[in-house]
Amino acid sequence: MCLPIFAAAQGAQVAFGSSQQDRDLPVEVTADNLNVNQNDGTAVFTGNVVIGQGEMRLSAPRVLVVYLKDQSGIESLEATGGVTLVSGPDAAEGERADYNITTGIIEMSGNVLLVQGDNAITGETMYVDTTAGTARVSGRVKTVLQPRAKQ
């Protein structure tokens, strides 16, 4: 019974989302404003930004989109100003999130809070592997895990 608590407290991998994320799905962005810079291949979305890909949703006040050099797709997303990431039943909050579309890795940083049902994990940084459907929290990790109710 104590092993899951100890493992989580040491920064062990935890599941994130209800399934693996398909990075080939389209990325949909809604925002109040958009500024495109053709010279450096970037776009900045501001104001109530919501980004969706499959079942995953990311929201933030500001998101910088960096396009691939050949303009054939998105290379990465940089969300700042307070970020919420939701995938299936799991949700995480942090000050910043960097999503590398090519690798499928999301790095959230700054007072990260991961909530999975009644359980919560906090730390300074969380790495989400959208391909594997896992997450790893590091940096002064604290967990609150609810025991199963007796039947």
Side-chain angles (χ1 to χ4, degrees):
M1 180 102 150
C2 291
L3 290 178
I5 295 172
F6 179 74
Q10 297 302 311
Q13 296 257 345
V14 295
F16 186 81
S18 58
S19 64
Q20 297 175 343
Q21 178 69 23
D22 183 354
R23 293 189 317 260
D24 293 328
L25 291 173
V27 176
E28 180 180 306
V29 182
T30 57
D32 293 338
N33 303 293
L34 167 63
N35 292 309
V36 177
N37 186 332
Q38 297 291 344
N39 296 326
D40 67 3
T42 63
V44 177
F45 292 89
T46 56
N48 302 307
V49 183
V50 178
I51 299 174
Q53 184 180 36
E55 72 168 20
M56 188 170 59
R57 297 286 176 269
L58 182 144
S59 60
R62 181 183 187 277
V63 176
L64 170 69
V65 177
V66 178
Y67 293 97
L68 294 168
K69 298 292 183 214
D70 64 3
Q71 302 292 314
S72 65
I74 298 171
E75 180 180 319
S76 63
L77 303 171
E78 299 172 10
T80 56
V83 180
T84 301
L85 177 67
V86 177
S87 184
D90 301 333
E93 294 179 351
E95 294 171 13
R96 176 186 181 98
D98 295 297
Y99 181 15
N100 183 315
I101 303 286
T102 306
T103 64
I105 302 295
I106 300 170
E107 178 182 348
M108 290 189 78
S109 58
N111 299 313
V112 175
L113 168 65
L114 169 61
V115 177
Q116 297 178 307
D118 291 337
N119 301 321
I121 301 172
T122 62
E124 275 305 305
T125 307
M126 178 176 76
Y127 300 91
V128 177
D129 183 336
T130 62
T131 302
T134 61
R136 179 174 50 90
V137 180
S138 62
R140 196 65 185 148
V141 177
K142 179 180 177 182
T143 65
V144 177
L145 304 172
Q146 301 298 328
R148 288 200 169 133
K150 294 182 182 181
Q151 295 187 7

